[in-house]
Amino acid sequence: YTASQSITILPVIVPNLTASAEKVHEDESVEIGLTAEGGKLDSVRWALTKDDKETSAALGDNGGTLIFDGAGDYALTAIAKDAHGREFSSEPVVIKVLPNLSLSLTADTDKLHEDEAAAISLTVEHGTPSTIEWALTHDGEDVSVPLDDHGGKLAFDGAGAYVLTAAVTDELGKEY
């Protein structure tokens, strides 16, 4: 007596995710790519979390453009299904989404005499700046600025129109 049986060995699919950036601002998007090693994907569903809470991701079977719903720590996983219904998960791609900084520059007065000083205050909300650069002009000419990252006292060297600017840069190099 002889018996035989055919067995089909199916491949193990390894879905691989790529992201165009690891850190972005909340008003930016990231390009997501999906490739598969070992076989063909029949379908893909996406699992996205923001700060460890589930949120939605509108991506196609090959990835696409991921748009974020505010700042936070995001993790994206692709769950790929083969033609036989078995699911294979990718390693998660982690993307940190930073808020845009909000600046408030205030002076304790909008008019003063030459022999007085103004208290200048710079408030930065929604994050920490990497650099702060001050610029001051007097009637269109550059003047040195003795202020620290939060402001300070500013004395003026003569009457005229002064313009004070604070240029703030965040950790990704975006200037505000």
Side-chain angles (χ1 to χ4, degrees):
Y1 174 77
T2 304
S4 67
Q5 181 178 353
S6 294
I7 298 175
T8 302
I9 306 299
L10 301 172
V12 173
I13 297 174
V14 180
N16 294 309
L17 280 179
T18 58
S20 61
E22 293 177 1
K23 288 184 180 180
V24 294
H25 292 100
E26 60 189 337
D27 58 351
E28 298 172 339
S29 60
V30 171
E31 292 302 315
I32 301 297
L34 175 63
T35 58
E37 294 177 26
K40 184 178 181 301
L41 304 177
D42 191 54
S43 64
V44 178
R45 66 183 170 88
W46 299 94
L48 180 65
T49 60
K50 173 187 175 189
D51 299 327
D52 298 321
K53 294 181 181 145
E54 287 186 32
T55 187
S56 63
L59 296 168
D61 284 350
N62 296 317
T65 302
L66 185 59
I67 299 171
F68 302 98
D69 181 29
D73 293 320
Y74 289 78
L76 177 68
T77 304
I79 299 100
K81 190 182 287 189
D82 69 9
H84 300 280
R86 182 170 171 191
E87 290 186 336
F88 303 89
S89 294
S90 70
E91 290 295 318
V93 169
V94 177
I95 301 164
K96 183 169 184 68
V97 179
L98 303 174
N100 287 306
L101 301 180
S102 176
L103 309 178
S104 175
L105 179 61
T106 57
D108 63 351
T109 183
D110 61 352
K111 291 181 184 176
L112 56 126
H113 291 94
E114 293 176 24
D115 62 347
E116 298 175 321
I120 305 297
S121 174
L122 176 65
T123 304
V124 180
E125 294 179 359
H126 309 299
T128 304
S130 294
T131 62
I132 298 174
E133 293 182 19
W134 293 97
L136 179 65
T137 59
H138 174 223
D139 294 332
E141 299 292 323
D142 289 339
V143 179
S144 67
V145 185
L147 299 174
D148 64 24
D149 285 353
H150 302 287
K153 287 282 191 185
L154 186 59
F156 299 91
D157 190 25
Y162 288 83
V163 177
L164 178 64
T165 305
V168 176
T169 306
D170 69 11
E171 68 180 272
L172 295 180
K174 185 173 183 179
E175 189 174 293
Y176 300 87

